[in-house]
Every structure is written in structure tokens, then in C-alpha cells.
Amino acid sequence: MGNRSQLPLRERDAELALLGEALADALGGRGRVALIRGSPGVGKTRLLDAVCADADASALVLRGRGGEQERQLPLAVVRELFERPVSRADTEQRSRLFAGAAGLAAPVFDFGHGQSSSSSFAVTHGLYWLTANLAETRPLVLAVDDAHWADDASQNWLAYLIPRIEGESVLLALTVRPRELDPASRLADALASSPELVVIEPRELTAAATATVVEDLAGHAERAFCTTVHRATGGNPLLVRTLVTSLMATGVEPTARNAHRVLVAGGDRIGRIVLPRLHHLGPGSVALARAAAILGEASSLREVGELSGLDPGAAAAATDTLVAAEILRPDGSSGFTHPLMRAAVTDELGPGARSELHRRAAVLLADYGAGPEAIARHVVAMESTAEPWMVGSLRTAATLSMARGAPGAAIPYLERALSERPTESERAQILLELGSAGLRAENPEATRWLELAVRTATSATQRGQAVFALVDAATYRGEDSPDEVWAAAADADGDQRLALDALRTMMGYGFWDAPPIPPAQRPRRPIPEGKTWAECTWLAAVAFQALMDCAPASQVLDLAERALGDGVLLAGNPDAWAHAWAALCLLRAGRLSHAFAAVDEALGHALGTGALIQFEWNSTLRAQAHLQLGRLTEAEADIETSIQADHEHGWVLGRQAKTAVLVGILAQRYGPMRAAEVLAARGEGPKERRLSVLDLTEVEARGWLNLALGRPEAALTDLTACGSRLERWHSRRSAGFNWRAGAARCLAVLGRRDEAAALADEQLRDARAFGAAPWLGSSLSTVGTVLGGDDGIDLLREAVAVLESSEARLEHVHALHKLGVLLRHNRHPRDAREPLRQALDLAVKCGSPILADVIAEELKAAGARPRRRSVTGVEALTASENRVARLAADGMTNTEIAQSMFVTRKAVEKHLGNAYRKLSISSRTELPGVLAANG
């Protein structure tokens, strides 16, 4: 009888050729994805074996397998894939493997390199870089059998890897059953959109190939027997082998006279073939097969033997019998030769018998000191017995799943823990943990679990924790926060009360449909020192409130700098909002360099921990800082990076703020038409009913854009809507918005000059009282433009003087430009030339070709002859090309650049290649000189 692993593959030449081509591409540095899909038993695993064998001499081959009953084990497939290189690496090798962003994956393998994080994205991102680091030393083949049964976290990692595999020396080979892979899953979506995908679809064997396989197994076989085997099995290779092997084991010769025995045996279902054969092997073999099916192939033969109830000798004999019968694999594991074999054995068990085996397995594994997730898998699969120890085991497993970045795997453990009759205090805590896991896993039940946690909390501390989590849930989903949340949290005290008050303060600015807090009803308390996270969070909220109230900039700066002092906010909860809001206050109050430094620190923290949301929001903030500082190329690169990262996470909160920043940058850099095109592509703006202070920035940006496009009526509608919403929040005079300046300009264009002057004067009074140079300079420019004449010129000269001593370089350009225009219109062309020349020089340095062209035309009208600009060299680089080139010039490697921008090495290589071509250079060593020569 032939061994299945030694039998030649029949009718698979075309499939093997496709796999060979994909392997060759991967070995040559072009990453490929090979998807082997087909019905059960058609030979997918044999093809996977073949490509792995071909690659073994020239690549590192790592294998993993999904299992129908192991899907609850988080990152089980990932751990199986990487176990060998990680466990065998010495300290130095492990340091290289987990260098850079790969360190984010360290918690998956239960050691402390890098920072532990419960962020799913951080772990997934780290695993991608672990893959890239492995492939850098030797081509890599990742082979995943039955990927449709891989746990969700492993599937999500595969989905993340697939679009990034280009340019890596990696072949990812997957086998799937088409009907088993969820078409709505991230993995299915990634496969469908991958340009690097090659699809291999092995078909059932023809009658001729079936006859050849029968002869491979049995030697000579008569034609009628072979024909009947093909008819009974449909040419399915597994069914052919199993049927023929089973018949031969019972002494049936492959002759025409025995053809009817084929039909009696039943070749259409594996169970009809395997189960009679299994029972024929004796009760010991049946018991051991059932134990192996329940425990899974990760368990040892000793554990399987004990669960079967056999003594060690009998268990060893039964194992040998099952291996000889080709039911268990001959590799020393407890794995079945095919998942269909295991399914046939488990399907034969009744619900009661299966539950009892799972219960005994849980107890057995607990006695052996197995990992909590291995135990919890069996607890979840059994009927509830309300045993107290199981609650603790399930919660421990859930905690471990969260630490490994697999919150979805924690949910069934915690749901089951609720049914094991926990104490009241335990129940509330489990609900809180369940809600937090649901939030991270984007489970729609997260809000309901957290609401229950608030209602059932047995202490003020527990209730406060539930409130924070519930507000987080509302934030991420863009949902309303239930009114009962704040009533339930009324008994909080100390730091928790302080942090809750901070949350309530921010909610008053349009978040979660919370009503605004009138100034007279705001909580009053002494200004804290900023020693704890709660104190710093409250300081950040009050700083923002002061900004919205148009309190003096010095007060806003004092509060914001206290909030940011000593790095307490980032250390305490880097995902929270407070650090970003405090940095925004610095920005609006004119302390641009300090704001930039605070945002840079947060971005460094985000890169080190893989915190994508923190990275997105702070990239947006840094783009705003670059914009005000007059670094438009850098601003565009930052906002592009933020929006690209947003596609990975789909965060609801802050999307409109990104749009506002993007529109502002594009309008300044390329003109209003380009900005309008991008705004239209971003889709419909925020809904009026759900406007938050973040959404309002887009409304204001639309107004300014409409004004630049020559649509003053539409612009006035947007800008006054912005003002009306601010009034509802008791913040009409907010120093965080410039709506009055825009509205005044619209009114002036529409001939309503008295209204325009009144509104502009109102803002100017507030800007003088606020005292921050950027806002004051902008306000002076607006009033000067509206007034015109000598009074307008005086105000514009004052604006230039104010902005000249500030860091707000872009606003300085506009003030100089407006001054020059007004001087020329008032018949002072000679006086207009100097401010226009300064404006042109600054506009070029700021990276605004469209503004430079406008100013140059104005200079010509004033009688000057500005030099003709040519868009070559550095100016021809896109924002991303410019950023990559400068990082490379600073000495960063392609890997370091890619990790700092959350992109692939291939993307960096493309940007560098484009930069070399545009700069007429051939290597990165020439970059520093070329970039320095061009500013």
C-alpha cells in the first residue's frame, strides 16, 4: 500500500507551474500571494507541501494551520508560523528580529522586548515588520493551510500583510475552502484587491487520473473497479485514497468482481468511510481518536492519552494503530491526516458526550498548568456548570488576549464568564472588561455592555471606569452618550471626579449631543499643579475652554503648558484626547514652536507604541503647525500621512478636522480649485445636528474656500453657520476660529460695508485682548482690507509689524501681499514694491507656487520685474517625495523612514526613485547637498 505523502501528484502540472512562478518572483524580491482554493479533499495541502519542499533549500519556510475548533485561540496561526525562528533565536538574533516597529509584536510571544500594547493595530503592524525583518536576511515562505479557519486576529494580520507584500522577498501561500471564507472578512477583501495574487484552483481528478491513483495505492487494479471508484468519489483525491485504503484494509481486492463493494462502502462522504473503519480498530482507538479530536493537535500525546482514559501503554498502542490506518499523522503529533477526518470523529459525538469531554479537557489542562487560553477554549465549548474557578480562568484568558492585541478573542471568554454565576462585583467588572474588549474589536454590543457596567457597578471607582469606557465607545462610533452616564458618575470623587469633569467640559462643545454648559454652571476649583494624569487632563480641558472663551492668550498658555508638563498625559493614557487638545491650545495661542515640540513628542510615542489614532491626530496637528509656520510642503506630507492612516482604522471623530486642514493647505499651496476638487472627493460635510467643535472646522474651511472661489453668498452662509453654532456653545468670540474675519470679507464683497466693518472691528477688539500675534495679525489684515484707504494701509502696516516678530510666516506673507495690493490701488506703486518683493520671497520659501505667481503678477502691475520662476529640482518634488528625500538625507534607512511614516519599504523606494530623477542625481549620498542648495 502506498503512503499518501509518497504518492506522486496527478494532474497538477499546471498548478505546480503557477506556484513555481510565484516562488521564483518572491525569491527575486517581488512579493507574491498564492491562493490555493478548492473543495475539501481536492489536494490543496499536497500543493502547499510541494511549494514548501521546493522552497526549502533557498528560503526560510514557516508553516501554520487554521483549525475549526481552535479559532478562539488568538493569534494561534501567527504563533505557530513564527514559533521556530523566534524560539530558536539567541539574544542578539532576537534583538534584530524585533528591531524597530517589529518590537510591537513582542507581547504575542510572551516576552518583554518592546512595549506591551492591547492595540490590535500595534500588534498587527509589529507582525508585519517582524515578517519584513525575517525576509531581509533570507527569502521567506509563509504557508498557511486552511486559512479560512485561522483565528480572526491572524486573519486580520494576513489581510494587513497582503497589500504590503510588494517589494518584500516573501511568498504567502494560503489554502482555503471558498465557501468557508467569510466574503465580508478583511482577508477576503485583501485577497480580492491584491495585484500580487495568483489563484490556483485544483479540480477533481479525471477518470484516467483516478485509475492511476488507485494503481499507485493498490498496484494493479481492474478498469471496472477504478471506474466505480471514480463514480463513487467524483474524483476527489482524498476520498479516492481513503476509500481504496479502507477497502484494502478489509481485504477487498481491486477487481471488477468487487466493484459493487465500492458503492456499499460509500465514497461520497468521508464519515461513511472512516467511522466504520475506526470502530473496526477497537474501542481504545475510538477513545483516543475522540480525545485527539477534542484536544487538537497542539496537545501532547500524553494529554490525549489521559483524556481518553487509557493507560499509557494502551494509549501508545492505539496511537500506532491510528497512524497505521492513516487517521492520525505520523509526525508524532496528535493531528489528524485531514480536517475532514477530525470532523467525522467529532460529529459522531452527541452534545452531552462532547460537552463532558471538553469539561474533562479543561480540568486536565488546568492540572497540567496549561495556558489560560487553552483551558478557556474548552470551558467555552462545554455546558455551563457554574464552577467558580472557571470565572477566573476565563478572565485571565481574556486579559491575555487583549495584551496580545486580539480583543475579539476575549469576548467569548468574558461572555461565558457572565454565565458562570460570578459575584455582583465580578459581574460589573466582567461587563466593563467585555465593553472595553468590544470597543477595541468594533463589536456593536460594546455600548450595551458598558451601559450595563455603569448600572451594575458596586463602587464609585468601578462606575467611573465604566463611564470613561462608555464615553470612549461613543467617541469612536460617533454615537450619543446616554444621559444616565453622568448621573451614575455623580458619586465619583478625587482624581476620578476631576477627570470626569474634564470629559463633561469637552462634551459641551458638541460631542455626543451633550448640551453646552453655561459659564455660570461650570465647575469651579483651584488650578491644580499638574502632577497626576487626572489633573493634567482637567488642565487641558480648562485650557481649551479658556481658548473658546477668548480669555487672554497668556492664561491659555499657562494652563496648556501645565497640562503638558513632565509628560504625564502621554505616560498615563496616550490614547486619550487631553495631550492633543493642550497642544492645539499652544498652537492657537501663538506658541507655535512649543506646540510643534509637543506634537512631535506625541508622534514619537505613537510610533513607539503603534498607536495609530494618536499618530493620525498628531500628524494632523503637526500639519497645522507646519501650515502656520509657513512650511507647506511638510504640512501637505503630514496631512497626507494622517489621511492615509485614517483609512486603516476608520476613526469617526476628527475626520472633518482633517478635511479642514487638508483644504487649507491645498488652497494655499495650489489654489482654491485644487482644494475644491479634493473637498468634493472627500464627500458630504458634517450633519448640522451632530456638529462638534472638530466638525465645525470643516464648515469654517468651506466658507473660506467658497470666498476664494468667488462665491461670497455661499461663503457667508457657511461662516455665519459656524458663528451660530459657536454662540450655542457660548463661544462666539472663540480665539480658536476666524469666522468673523471671513464673514466680514464676504459682507464687504457683497457691498454691505457697514456690517463688514462692525464684524471686523469686533474681532479685532477680541484679538487685541487675546494678545496672540498670529490671530492679531490676521485680524488687523482683515480690518485693513475691509476699510481700505489710508486707515486700511495703517492697519496693514501694523499687521506686518506684529507678524514680522512672530513665527506665523504664512500669515506674514498674506499681510505683506495685502499691504502691497492696497498701496498700489491707492496709487503708491513705488511703495508697494518692497512689501510685495518680501511677500514673493517668503511665498517661495513657504512652498506656495500659486501664491508666488499671484504676488509676481501684482509686482509687475506695480512696475517691478520679478524673476521668472521655474518649477524644477526640489520644487518639482511632491510633498511625500520631499519628506522621504529629507529623511534619507538625514541618514535614516529605508526601513526607518517606512516605519516613521507607517508605509512600506517599497513605497519609500518609489518616492526616492522619483526624487532622484527629478533632482538629476543617482544616489542618496547626493541628497544632502542638493537639498541644502535649494533651501
Side-chain angles (χ1 to χ4, degrees), residues 397-436:
T399 300
L400 185 57
S401 297
M402 292 286 285
R404 288 176 175 166
I411 291 173
Y413 299 149
L414 293 168
E415 286 184 307
R416 181 52 185 266
L418 286 176
S419 69
E420 293 296 325
R421 300 180 190 173
T423 65
E424 286 187 15
S425 178
E426 281 180 325
R427 178 177 175 78
Q429 194 61 35
I430 292 168
L431 283 166
L432 176 57
E433 293 164 5
L434 191 52
S436 298

mmCIF file of all heavy atoms in Angstrom, residues 397-436:
data_model
loop_
_atom_site.group_PDB
_atom_site.id
_atom_site.type_symbol
_atom_site.label_atom_id
_atom_site.label_comp_id
_atom_site.label_asym_id
_atom_site.label_seq_id
_atom_site.Cartn_x
_atom_site.Cartn_y
_atom_site.Cartn_z
ATOM 1 N N ALA A 397 -7.716 34.477 30.591
ATOM 2 C CA ALA A 397 -7.550 34.244 29.154
ATOM 3 C C ALA A 397 -7.919 35.490 28.365
ATOM 4 O O ALA A 397 -7.247 35.848 27.380
ATOM 5 C CB ALA A 397 -8.408 33.070 28.708
ATOM 6 N N ALA A 398 -8.981 36.176 28.784
ATOM 7 C CA ALA A 398 -9.402 37.395 28.097
ATOM 8 C C ALA A 398 -8.340 38.484 28.230
ATOM 9 O O ALA A 398 -8.041 39.202 27.271
ATOM 10 C CB ALA A 398 -10.735 37.889 28.662
ATOM 11 N N THR A 399 -7.759 38.619 29.407
ATOM 12 C CA THR A 399 -6.708 39.621 29.637
ATOM 13 C C THR A 399 -5.508 39.350 28.732
ATOM 14 O O THR A 399 -4.930 40.270 28.135
ATOM 15 C CB THR A 399 -6.270 39.619 31.111
ATOM 16 O OG1 THR A 399 -7.399 39.928 31.931
ATOM 17 C CG2 THR A 399 -5.160 40.622 31.364
ATOM 18 N N LEU A 400 -5.140 38.082 28.627
ATOM 19 C CA LEU A 400 -4.011 37.713 27.777
ATOM 20 C C LEU A 400 -4.321 38.011 26.312
ATOM 21 O O LEU A 400 -3.460 38.502 25.561
ATOM 22 C CB LEU A 400 -3.684 36.241 27.972
ATOM 23 C CG LEU A 400 -2.450 35.694 27.241
ATOM 24 C CD1 LEU A 400 -1.206 36.483 27.623
ATOM 25 C CD2 LEU A 400 -2.252 34.220 27.559
ATOM 26 N N SER A 401 -5.547 37.724 25.892
ATOM 27 C CA SER A 401 -5.938 38.016 24.509
ATOM 28 C C SER A 401 -5.846 39.507 24.222
ATOM 29 O O SER A 401 -5.376 39.924 23.161
ATOM 30 C CB SER A 401 -7.370 37.529 24.245
ATOM 31 O OG SER A 401 -7.460 36.133 24.375
ATOM 32 N N MET A 402 -6.288 40.328 25.175
ATOM 33 C CA MET A 402 -6.215 41.776 24.996
ATOM 34 C C MET A 402 -4.765 42.231 24.906
ATOM 35 O O MET A 402 -4.408 43.073 24.076
ATOM 36 C CB MET A 402 -6.916 42.476 26.162
ATOM 37 C CG MET A 402 -8.422 42.290 26.195
ATOM 38 S SD MET A 402 -9.276 43.270 24.942
ATOM 39 C CE MET A 402 -9.170 44.897 25.689
ATOM 40 N N ALA A 403 -3.906 41.677 25.748
ATOM 41 C CA ALA A 403 -2.494 42.067 25.749
ATOM 42 C C ALA A 403 -1.826 41.704 24.428
ATOM 43 O O ALA A 403 -0.886 42.376 23.997
ATOM 44 C CB ALA A 403 -1.761 41.406 26.908
ATOM 45 N N ARG A 404 -2.311 40.650 23.791
ATOM 46 C CA ARG A 404 -1.739 40.231 22.510
ATOM 47 C C ARG A 404 -2.387 40.939 21.327
ATOM 48 O O ARG A 404 -2.107 40.618 20.177
ATOM 49 C CB ARG A 404 -1.902 38.717 22.346
ATOM 50 C CG ARG A 404 -0.978 37.914 23.252
ATOM 51 C CD ARG A 404 -1.231 36.434 23.126
ATOM 52 N NE ARG A 404 -0.257 35.668 23.903
ATOM 53 C CZ ARG A 404 -0.380 34.385 24.199
ATOM 54 N NH1 ARG A 404 -1.450 33.716 23.797
ATOM 55 N NH2 ARG A 404 0.550 33.762 24.900
ATOM 56 N N GLY A 405 -3.242 41.898 21.618
ATOM 57 C CA GLY A 405 -3.853 42.641 20.522
ATOM 58 C C GLY A 405 -4.961 41.896 19.832
ATOM 59 O O GLY A 405 -5.209 42.131 18.648
ATOM 60 N N ALA A 406 -5.645 41.000 20.541
ATOM 61 C CA ALA A 406 -6.736 40.221 19.947
ATOM 62 C C ALA A 406 -8.000 40.371 20.793
ATOM 63 O O ALA A 406 -8.470 39.412 21.412
ATOM 64 C CB ALA A 406 -6.333 38.746 19.837
ATOM 65 N N PRO A 407 -8.565 41.592 20.844
ATOM 66 C CA PRO A 407 -9.737 41.810 21.709
ATOM 67 C C PRO A 407 -10.944 40.983 21.301
ATOM 68 O O PRO A 407 -11.760 40.622 22.145
ATOM 69 C CB PRO A 407 -10.005 43.304 21.564
ATOM 70 C CG PRO A 407 -9.388 43.680 20.257
ATOM 71 C CD PRO A 407 -8.184 42.813 20.124
ATOM 72 N N GLY A 408 -11.074 40.676 20.003
ATOM 73 C CA GLY A 408 -12.217 39.872 19.574
ATOM 74 C C GLY A 408 -12.224 38.498 20.199
ATOM 75 O O GLY A 408 -13.290 37.929 20.476
ATOM 76 N N ALA A 409 -11.031 37.952 20.449
ATOM 77 C CA ALA A 409 -10.946 36.633 21.070
ATOM 78 C C ALA A 409 -11.337 36.680 22.537
ATOM 79 O O ALA A 409 -11.744 35.664 23.118
ATOM 80 C CB ALA A 409 -9.526 36.084 20.929
ATOM 81 N N ALA A 410 -11.200 37.846 23.173
ATOM 82 C CA ALA A 410 -11.541 37.964 24.596
ATOM 83 C C ALA A 410 -13.049 37.934 24.825
ATOM 84 O O ALA A 410 -13.505 37.555 25.902
ATOM 85 C CB ALA A 410 -10.950 39.269 25.153
ATOM 86 N N ILE A 411 -13.812 38.336 23.818
ATOM 87 C CA ILE A 411 -15.261 38.497 24.011
ATOM 88 C C ILE A 411 -15.966 37.192 24.381
ATOM 89 O O ILE A 411 -16.721 37.153 25.361
ATOM 90 C CB ILE A 411 -15.888 39.160 22.765
ATOM 91 C CG1 ILE A 411 -15.420 40.610 22.688
ATOM 92 C CG2 ILE A 411 -17.412 39.082 22.803
ATOM 93 C CD1 ILE A 411 -15.829 41.326 21.421
ATOM 94 N N PRO A 412 -15.780 36.073 23.640
ATOM 95 C CA PRO A 412 -16.485 34.842 24.050
ATOM 96 C C PRO A 412 -16.066 34.349 25.435
ATOM 97 O O PRO A 412 -16.883 33.765 26.153
ATOM 98 C CB PRO A 412 -16.112 33.835 22.960
ATOM 99 C CG PRO A 412 -14.955 34.415 22.235
ATOM 100 C CD PRO A 412 -15.063 35.891 22.366
ATOM 101 N N TYR A 413 -14.819 34.574 25.835
ATOM 102 C CA TYR A 413 -14.391 34.178 27.180
ATOM 103 C C TYR A 413 -15.180 34.955 28.236
ATOM 104 O O TYR A 413 -15.664 34.386 29.220
ATOM 105 C CB TYR A 413 -12.896 34.446 27.365
ATOM 106 C CG TYR A 413 -11.980 33.699 26.429
ATOM 107 C CD1 TYR A 413 -10.765 34.263 26.028
ATOM 108 C CD2 TYR A 413 -12.310 32.443 25.938
ATOM 109 C CE1 TYR A 413 -9.911 33.585 25.169
ATOM 110 C CE2 TYR A 413 -11.454 31.764 25.071
ATOM 111 C CZ TYR A 413 -10.259 32.336 24.689
ATOM 112 O OH TYR A 413 -9.417 31.678 23.841
ATOM 113 N N LEU A 414 -15.300 36.270 28.033
ATOM 114 C CA LEU A 414 -15.976 37.109 29.024
ATOM 115 C C LEU A 414 -17.484 36.881 29.011
ATOM 116 O O LEU A 414 -18.137 36.899 30.070
ATOM 117 C CB LEU A 414 -15.649 38.576 28.753
ATOM 118 C CG LEU A 414 -14.172 38.946 28.984
ATOM 119 C CD1 LEU A 414 -13.866 40.318 28.423
ATOM 120 C CD2 LEU A 414 -13.837 38.886 30.482
ATOM 121 N N GLU A 415 -18.046 36.645 27.823
ATOM 122 C CA GLU A 415 -19.477 36.333 27.768
ATOM 123 C C GLU A 415 -19.766 35.047 28.534
ATOM 124 O O GLU A 415 -20.778 34.948 29.249
ATOM 125 C CB GLU A 415 -19.925 36.204 26.309
ATOM 126 C CG GLU A 415 -20.042 37.520 25.577
ATOM 127 C CD GLU A 415 -20.585 37.353 24.173
ATOM 128 O OE1 GLU A 415 -20.029 36.536 23.414
ATOM 129 O OE2 GLU A 415 -21.565 38.030 23.824
ATOM 130 N N ARG A 416 -18.879 34.072 28.371
ATOM 131 C CA ARG A 416 -19.089 32.813 29.094
ATOM 132 C C ARG A 416 -18.908 33.010 30.601
ATOM 133 O O ARG A 416 -19.630 32.413 31.415
ATOM 134 C CB ARG A 416 -18.107 31.758 28.582
ATOM 135 C CG ARG A 416 -18.278 30.410 29.272
ATOM 136 C CD ARG A 416 -19.749 29.948 29.208
ATOM 137 N NE ARG A 416 -19.959 28.747 29.944
ATOM 138 C CZ ARG A 416 -19.911 27.528 29.390
ATOM 139 N NH1 ARG A 416 -19.642 27.401 28.103
ATOM 140 N NH2 ARG A 416 -20.130 26.455 30.119
ATOM 141 N N ALA A 417 -17.964 33.877 30.981
ATOM 142 C CA ALA A 417 -17.744 34.141 32.408
ATOM 143 C C ALA A 417 -19.014 34.691 33.065
ATOM 144 O O ALA A 417 -19.299 34.392 34.231
ATOM 145 C CB ALA A 417 -16.585 35.119 32.592
ATOM 146 N N LEU A 418 -19.784 35.473 32.334
ATOM 147 C CA LEU A 418 -21.039 36.010 32.881
ATOM 148 C C LEU A 418 -22.041 34.904 33.185
ATOM 149 O O LEU A 418 -22.860 35.033 34.108
ATOM 150 C CB LEU A 418 -21.662 36.998 31.884
ATOM 151 C CG LEU A 418 -21.003 38.374 31.758
ATOM 152 C CD1 LEU A 418 -21.675 39.167 30.664
ATOM 153 C CD2 LEU A 418 -21.068 39.132 33.083
ATOM 154 N N SER A 419 -21.982 33.817 32.424
ATOM 155 C CA SER A 419 -22.947 32.729 32.625
ATOM 156 C C SER A 419 -22.504 31.750 33.706
ATOM 157 O O SER A 419 -23.235 30.807 34.032
ATOM 158 C CB SER A 419 -23.178 31.977 31.311
ATOM 159 O OG SER A 419 -22.022 31.256 30.940
ATOM 160 N N GLU A 420 -21.293 31.964 34.263
ATOM 161 C CA GLU A 420 -20.795 31.064 35.307
ATOM 162 C C GLU A 420 -21.107 31.571 36.712
ATOM 163 O O GLU A 420 -20.427 31.243 37.675
ATOM 164 C CB GLU A 420 -19.279 30.872 35.138
ATOM 165 C CG GLU A 420 -18.884 30.122 33.874
ATOM 166 C CD GLU A 420 -19.400 28.697 33.853
ATOM 167 O OE1 GLU A 420 -19.460 28.060 34.910
ATOM 168 O OE2 GLU A 420 -19.754 28.215 32.745
ATOM 169 N N ARG A 421 -22.126 32.414 36.828
ATOM 170 C CA ARG A 421 -22.628 32.944 38.104
ATOM 171 C C ARG A 421 -21.530 33.642 38.924
ATOM 172 O O ARG A 421 -21.236 33.244 40.063
ATOM 173 C CB ARG A 421 -23.265 31.823 38.939
ATOM 174 C CG ARG A 421 -24.436 31.174 38.237
ATOM 175 C CD ARG A 421 -25.034 30.071 39.079
ATOM 176 N NE ARG A 421 -25.991 29.289 38.337
ATOM 177 C CZ ARG A 421 -26.574 28.172 38.792
ATOM 178 N NH1 ARG A 421 -26.262 27.729 40.004
ATOM 179 N NH2 ARG A 421 -27.439 27.508 38.059
ATOM 180 N N PRO A 422 -20.926 34.695 38.373
ATOM 181 C CA PRO A 422 -19.929 35.434 39.152
ATOM 182 C C PRO A 422 -20.593 36.244 40.266
ATOM 183 O O PRO A 422 -21.823 36.433 40.254
ATOM 184 C CB PRO A 422 -19.316 36.370 38.104
ATOM 185 C CG PRO A 422 -20.424 36.585 37.110
ATOM 186 C CD PRO A 422 -21.155 35.277 37.040
ATOM 187 N N THR A 423 -19.814 36.743 41.214
ATOM 188 C CA THR A 423 -20.353 37.615 42.260
ATOM 189 C C THR A 423 -20.790 38.939 41.625
ATOM 190 O O THR A 423 -20.435 39.243 40.484
ATOM 191 C CB THR A 423 -19.293 37.903 43.327
ATOM 192 O OG1 THR A 423 -18.216 38.651 42.723
ATOM 193 C CG2 THR A 423 -18.741 36.604 43.909
ATOM 194 N N GLU A 424 -21.557 39.751 42.403
ATOM 195 C CA GLU A 424 -22.033 41.031 41.861
ATOM 196 C C GLU A 424 -20.871 41.926 41.440
ATOM 197 O O GLU A 424 -20.895 42.560 40.387
ATOM 198 C CB GLU A 424 -22.901 41.750 42.904
ATOM 199 C CG GLU A 424 -24.278 41.132 43.082
ATOM 200 C CD GLU A 424 -25.147 41.980 44.004
ATOM 201 O OE1 GLU A 424 -24.781 43.148 44.252
ATOM 202 O OE2 GLU A 424 -26.168 41.471 44.466
ATOM 203 N N SER A 425 -19.861 41.999 42.281
ATOM 204 C CA SER A 425 -18.703 42.832 41.959
ATOM 205 C C SER A 425 -17.976 42.294 40.732
ATOM 206 O O SER A 425 -17.559 43.060 39.854
ATOM 207 C CB SER A 425 -17.749 42.884 43.152
ATOM 208 O OG SER A 425 -16.607 43.645 42.839
ATOM 209 N N GLU A 426 -17.833 40.970 40.655
ATOM 210 C CA GLU A 426 -17.185 40.358 39.495
ATOM 211 C C GLU A 426 -18.005 40.618 38.232
ATOM 212 O O GLU A 426 -17.445 40.899 37.173
ATOM 213 C CB GLU A 426 -17.046 38.848 39.694
ATOM 214 C CG GLU A 426 -15.899 38.429 40.580
ATOM 215 C CD GLU A 426 -15.827 36.912 40.716
ATOM 216 O OE1 GLU A 426 -16.897 36.259 40.737
ATOM 217 O OE2 GLU A 426 -14.710 36.392 40.792
ATOM 218 N N ARG A 427 -19.317 40.550 38.350
ATOM 219 C CA ARG A 427 -20.184 40.733 37.184
ATOM 220 C C ARG A 427 -19.996 42.129 36.582
ATOM 221 O O ARG A 427 -19.843 42.272 35.367
ATOM 222 C CB ARG A 427 -21.650 40.524 37.575
ATOM 223 C CG ARG A 427 -22.619 40.747 36.417
ATOM 224 C CD ARG A 427 -24.060 40.456 36.826
ATOM 225 N NE ARG A 427 -24.976 40.793 35.750
ATOM 226 C CZ ARG A 427 -25.182 40.031 34.669
ATOM 227 N NH1 ARG A 427 -24.538 38.887 34.545
ATOM 228 N NH2 ARG A 427 -26.026 40.411 33.729
ATOM 229 N N ALA A 428 -19.983 43.153 37.424
ATOM 230 C CA ALA A 428 -19.805 44.513 36.928
ATOM 231 C C ALA A 428 -18.437 44.677 36.271
ATOM 232 O O ALA A 428 -18.303 45.322 35.221
ATOM 233 C CB ALA A 428 -19.962 45.512 38.067
ATOM 234 N N GLN A 429 -17.415 44.061 36.867
ATOM 235 C CA GLN A 429 -16.064 44.165 36.308
ATOM 236 C C GLN A 429 -15.961 43.417 34.977
ATOM 237 O O GLN A 429 -15.309 43.884 34.039
ATOM 238 C CB GLN A 429 -15.039 43.622 37.306
ATOM 239 C CG GLN A 429 -13.600 43.976 36.978
ATOM 240 C CD GLN A 429 -13.350 45.471 36.961
ATOM 241 O OE1 GLN A 429 -13.937 46.216 37.745
ATOM 242 N NE2 GLN A 429 -12.485 45.920 36.060
ATOM 243 N N ILE A 430 -16.629 42.267 34.913
ATOM 244 C CA ILE A 430 -16.628 41.499 33.656
ATOM 245 C C ILE A 430 -17.315 42.302 32.554
ATOM 246 O O ILE A 430 -16.854 42.339 31.408
ATOM 247 C CB ILE A 430 -17.305 40.128 33.854
ATOM 248 C CG1 ILE A 430 -16.448 39.240 34.755
ATOM 249 C CG2 ILE A 430 -17.538 39.434 32.513
ATOM 250 C CD1 ILE A 430 -17.159 37.993 35.236
ATOM 251 N N LEU A 431 -18.428 42.960 32.888
ATOM 252 C CA LEU A 431 -19.121 43.786 31.900
ATOM 253 C C LEU A 431 -18.224 44.927 31.406
ATOM 254 O O LEU A 431 -18.214 45.261 30.218
ATOM 255 C CB LEU A 431 -20.409 44.355 32.500
ATOM 256 C CG LEU A 431 -21.584 43.370 32.608
ATOM 257 C CD1 LEU A 431 -22.662 43.936 33.516
ATOM 258 C CD2 LEU A 431 -22.161 43.074 31.214
ATOM 259 N N LEU A 432 -17.479 45.504 32.329
ATOM 260 C CA LEU A 432 -16.550 46.568 31.951
ATOM 261 C C LEU A 432 -15.465 46.031 31.017
ATOM 262 O O LEU A 432 -15.147 46.645 29.990
ATOM 263 C CB LEU A 432 -15.922 47.171 33.213
ATOM 264 C CG LEU A 432 -14.845 48.235 33.020
ATOM 265 C CD1 LEU A 432 -15.381 49.397 32.194
ATOM 266 C CD2 LEU A 432 -14.340 48.725 34.371
ATOM 267 N N GLU A 433 -14.908 44.887 31.375
ATOM 268 C CA GLU A 433 -13.878 44.270 30.524
ATOM 269 C C GLU A 433 -14.461 43.877 29.167
ATOM 270 O O GLU A 433 -13.808 44.032 28.124
ATOM 271 C CB GLU A 433 -13.296 43.043 31.232
ATOM 272 C CG GLU A 433 -12.497 43.390 32.489
ATOM 273 C CD GLU A 433 -12.261 42.183 33.390
ATOM 274 O OE1 GLU A 433 -12.634 41.061 32.988
ATOM 275 O OE2 GLU A 433 -11.714 42.358 34.495
ATOM 276 N N LEU A 434 -15.694 43.398 29.194
ATOM 277 C CA LEU A 434 -16.363 42.990 27.956
ATOM 278 C C LEU A 434 -16.596 44.202 27.054
ATOM 279 O O LEU A 434 -16.357 44.159 25.832
ATOM 280 C CB LEU A 434 -17.690 42.318 28.308
ATOM 281 C CG LEU A 434 -18.469 41.577 27.232
ATOM 282 C CD1 LEU A 434 -17.613 40.568 26.509
ATOM 283 C CD2 LEU A 434 -19.674 40.880 27.874
ATOM 284 N N GLY A 435 -17.047 45.293 27.649
ATOM 285 C CA GLY A 435 -17.270 46.512 26.873
ATOM 286 C C GLY A 435 -15.985 47.059 26.289
ATOM 287 O O GLY A 435 -15.945 47.498 25.139
ATOM 288 N N SER A 436 -14.901 47.019 27.083
ATOM 289 C CA SER A 436 -13.613 47.519 26.596
ATOM 290 C C SER A 436 -13.104 46.654 25.448
ATOM 291 O O SER A 436 -12.593 47.168 24.444
ATOM 292 C CB SER A 436 -12.595 47.527 27.739
ATOM 293 O OG SER A 436 -13.017 48.384 28.772
#
